[in-house]
Amino acid sequence: MNTKRSKAVFTIAQDEPEYLPLWVNHHLQHFGPENTYVLNHDSQDKVAHQLRSKYGIQVIDLHYNESFSHEWLSVTVKKFQQFLLYTSYNKVLFAEVDELILVDPRKSELSLGQYIDQWQGGIGLVNGYQVLHDVRDENIPDVDWSKPLLEQDRKIIADFDYDKPLLATIPADWGYGFHYIKSDKDKVTRTDLVLLHLHYADFETALKRNTRRLERKWSQVDLTMGIGNQNRKVGFDLAMDFAEQLGKFAGHTKLEVPPEEWKTLVQPTSPLE
C-alpha cells in the first residue's frame, strides 16, 4: 500500500525578503504548509522563520561557507528532492525563489494542486515566461509588492531558456540552473504549467538583491566560469542587463501584457511582523 503523501513543493533561499514571502504565499495555497519546504541557506534575515511562524511551513536550515556555488546548489537540491520522493511524497515540485509556478488557465481550468494530482508522472517540463520591467520607459513605476504583480505595468514573454524540468515522480539529474536533466530525458514530457521568472520583473528589487549578493563569498569556480554573472550586476551594468533582456526578444517575437486570465493568479502577501 502506498502510504506516501500526494505532493510537495520546495525552494532554497538566502536572504530573500522580497521574493520568499511571495513564493511561499503563492505555492502554499496549493500544497498546504506541511508540504511546503524552504531550504534556508545561512540567511541573516529572519524571513524564513517568520514565514514558518505565520503559516506553519517547513524550514530546514543549511550551512555552507560559500553563498554562490552552483555545484553545491545542484547537489543539495537533487539530494533533497530524492529524499522527499523516496521517503514521503509521490510528486515533488521544485522552483527557485524568483520563480512562480502556475497552471496556464488558457489550457486548463484546474488549480495548480489539482493539476499536479492528476498529472501522470515522470518528469514534467514547465513553460518559461519572463516578467519584464521595461527600464527604457522612465514612467513605469517600481513594482508594488502589496498589489497583484500581473495587474501592474509589466510585460511577459515566452522564454524557451526557462522551460525547466521541475515537476517529478522520479529523481531528476539536473544540470546547472535546473534548466535541463542529464539522464532519463525520455521521461520528460511538457505540461500545461507556467514558470514566471521574476529576476527582471523590477529593477529596484534586482538592485537590492544583487547589492546584498556582492557582499557574500562566491565560489571561485563560479567566478572563473562566469556562472551566475547576472546576480553580481548593479548600477549601470544592471540597467544594461535589463535592457539586453528586452533586446533579446526584439525582432522575432512580441512583448505582451499578461493575458487577462493570468492577472489574478499572483496575489500579494501580507506584511510579516
Side-chain angles (χ1 to χ4, degrees), residues 6-261:
S6 172
K7 58 189 178 294
V9 63
F10 76 102
T11 193
I12 187 167
Q14 184 177 39
D15 294 321
E16 292 282 359
E18 297 87 10
Y19 285 136
L20 186 57
L22 183 68
W23 188 98
V24 167
N25 185 64
H26 175 75
H27 295 98
L28 176 71
Q29 60 188 306
H30 302 289
F31 290 84
E34 69 277 13
N35 307 311
T36 302
Y37 294 83
V38 174
L39 302 181
N40 186 38
H41 175 206
D42 283 332
S43 292
Q44 299 302 304
D45 64 28
K46 306 296 184 184
V47 171
H49 291 280
Q50 289 172 332
L51 290 165
R52 178 169 62 185
S53 297
K54 182 175 182 177
Y55 296 117
I57 64 169
Q58 312 307 303
V59 175
I60 299 169
D61 292 322
L62 302 179
H63 172 68
Y64 189 69
N65 64 351
E66 292 178 334
S67 292
F68 280 89
S69 168
H70 278 73
E71 181 63 30
W72 175 82
L73 177 64
S74 295
V75 170
T76 300
V77 169
K78 283 192 283 189
K79 285 185 175 180
F80 191 69
Q81 187 224 35
Q82 292 171 11
F83 168 75
L84 293 177
L85 286 171
Y86 288 151
T87 64
S88 304
Y89 294 96
N90 293 316
K91 300 170 184 177
V92 174
L93 175 67
F94 169 71
E96 296 193 77
V97 73
D98 61 357
E99 298 171 348
L100 302 180
I101 309 299
L102 49 92
V103 180
D104 189 338
R106 301 171 299 183
K107 297 181 179 180
S108 173
E109 296 181 353
L110 298 176
S111 69
L112 177 60
Q114 291 169 337
Y115 185 91
I116 292 174
D117 283 339
Q118 61 84 45
W119 179 65
Q120 293 302 302
I123 297 177
L125 190 71
V126 303
N127 302 282
Y129 282 77
Q130 295 281 0
V131 182
L132 298 173
H133 179 184
D134 190 346
V135 295
R136 301 169 301 184
D137 187 345
E138 296 181 354
N139 294 316
I140 295 178
D142 300 337
V143 161
D144 183 346
W145 294 109
S146 69
K147 297 179 181 179
L149 172 63
L150 297 182
E151 291 183 358
Q152 300 181 54
D153 193 357
R154 293 299 182 268
K155 305 295 186 183
I156 67 165
I157 192 67
D159 187 350
F160 297 140
D161 289 342
Y162 277 82
D163 290 0
K164 297 171 102 175
L166 299 180
L167 177 62
T169 58
I170 59 176
D173 185 18
W174 283 298
Y176 279 137
F178 314 102
H179 292 272
Y180 64 96
I181 59 170
K182 295 181 282 187
S183 58
D184 290 320
K185 294 182 180 181
D186 60 318
K187 302 293 197 305
V188 177
T189 57
R190 188 173 293 275
T191 69
D192 293 330
L193 300 181
V194 166
L195 179 155
L196 296 181
H197 183 226
L198 305 183
H199 181 83
Y200 296 100
D202 185 62
F203 181 83
E204 287 301 320
T205 299
L207 180 59
K208 291 176 183 177
R209 293 178 82 210
N210 285 7
T211 299
R212 290 194 301 267
R213 288 163 163 174
L214 284 175
E215 297 174 354
R216 302 174 190 160
K217 182 179 180 181
W218 283 69
S219 160
Q220 190 58 51
V221 173
D222 284 19
L223 290 172
T224 300
M225 296 179 63
I227 298 171
N229 278 340
Q230 74 276 12
N231 298 310
R232 294 191 289 271
K233 294 179 179 180
V234 295
F236 177 77
D237 289 340
L238 182 61
M240 288 300 297
D241 192 27
F242 268 64
E244 287 169 5
Q245 284 299 311
L246 293 162
K248 170 181 173 182
F249 303 104
H252 62 86
T253 191
K254 180 183 176 184
L255 288 173
E256 301 176 347
V257 297
E260 197 64 35
E261 303 96 321

